[in-house]
Amino acid sequence: SDITHRLATEAALRTSEERFRRLVSMSSDLYWEQDEQLRFSQISGAGLALLGERLTAGIGCHFWDFPGVEGVAPEEWIHHRGQVEAHEPFRDLVFQIVGGDGERRWFSSSGNPLFDEEQNFLGYHGIATEITERIRAAERYRELAYHDSLTGLPNRRLLADRIEQAIAHARRHGNLVALMLLDLDSFKAINDTDGHAVG
């Protein structure tokens, strides 16, 4: 029988798989799969170089039992577990894990359920993308928003936030709040003449 069409289909499939493997290897992402019991059955991608044996130790584990995964609040695990047990897609589950070099890294994971032609649940597949720099940038932004860039001391915005919290706490507990202001005479003149660094 003529198998030309079948051979062409198989060649196209091999080309597609090779393209996918190259794409995964070029990113810092991880590609993962889980079986119908929601246990990891495969983890691959360039992120393995960052995390090494830490990830391969997770084969056969549920996400919420994965060794070394931190930074996920208990209520987030409950929500995630509910989603995957209901076989729903999930997006942006953020977690941290310590790599083989001892550095803590942040990842965001998303996954989709897999079904066969009869709609029987087969498991999940998805990706985890490293977002360490994005998390650090957000932390730096928060630091800049609430601290003076020159001295590193808390700024007026943080003071206002803490005063609001203190007043709310005092109201709840029937207490009083006191605020003491210190003024340094002629301090503005030092800043104006010698600069903020000297001041």
Side-chain angles (χ1 to χ4, degrees):
S1 59
D2 187 358
I3 59 168
T4 306
H5 179 69
R6 190 184 85 199
L7 291 176
T9 303
E10 289 174 354
L13 181 61
R14 282 194 300 273
T15 301
S16 176
E17 288 175 347
E18 180 61 27
R19 188 179 301 133
F20 174 75
R21 275 194 292 273
R22 285 184 191 161
L23 184 64
V24 169
S25 69
M26 288 189 316
S27 72
S28 65
D29 294 345
L30 296 165
Y31 172 78
W32 55 264
E33 291 182 5
Q34 293 174 332
D35 61 21
E36 64 277 5
Q37 301 298 317
L38 305 174
R39 292 185 171 92
F40 283 97
S41 56
Q42 178 186 339
I43 303 173
S44 60
L48 281 173
L50 298 173
L51 300 173
E53 295 178 3
R54 180 76 67 165
L55 289 183
T56 53
I59 299 293
C61 295
H62 295 108
F63 209 157
W64 48 88
D65 296 325
F66 204 100
V69 168
E70 302 171 1
V72 183
E75 58 272 13
E76 290 178 283
W77 278 131
I78 291 169
H79 177 70
H80 171 71
R81 193 167 180 168
Q83 283 184 299
V84 295
E85 287 176 349
H87 306 156
E88 298 172 349
F90 67 90
R91 297 285 174 269
D92 300 320
L93 177 66
V94 175
F95 63 94
Q96 53 182 293
I97 191 166
V98 178
D101 57 2
E103 185 176 347
R104 188 174 302 278
R105 289 187 166 83
W106 288 90
F107 284 83
S108 174
S109 186
S110 299
N112 283 320
L114 294 168
F115 300 94
D116 65 15
E117 293 177 0
E118 285 78 39
Q119 293 303 301
N120 296 311
F121 177 66
L122 300 176
Y124 270 85
H125 68 159
I127 61 165
T129 304
E130 186 184 4
I131 59 168
T132 305
E133 283 308 311
R134 188 182 355 159
I135 295 288
R136 288 179 181 159
E139 288 171 352
R140 283 194 294 271
Y141 177 77
R142 278 194 298 274
E143 179 74 15
L144 290 173
Y146 289 108
H147 292 80
D148 180 75
S149 58
L150 179 66
T151 64
L153 295 172
N155 64 14
R156 192 175 299 168
R157 182 180 291 159
L158 186 58
L159 173 67
D161 178 69
R162 295 301 186 267
I163 289 173
E164 287 178 17
Q165 288 182 25
I167 291 171
H169 184 269
R171 281 189 183 134
R172 278 195 306 273
H173 296 91
N175 296 329
L176 299 174
V177 176
L179 176 64
M180 182 171 68
L181 296 173
L182 295 176
D183 185 32
L184 301 178
D185 291 340
S186 304
F187 190 70
K188 184 178 184 310
I190 295 173
N191 281 335
D192 291 345
T193 56
D194 298 325
H196 289 278
V198 173

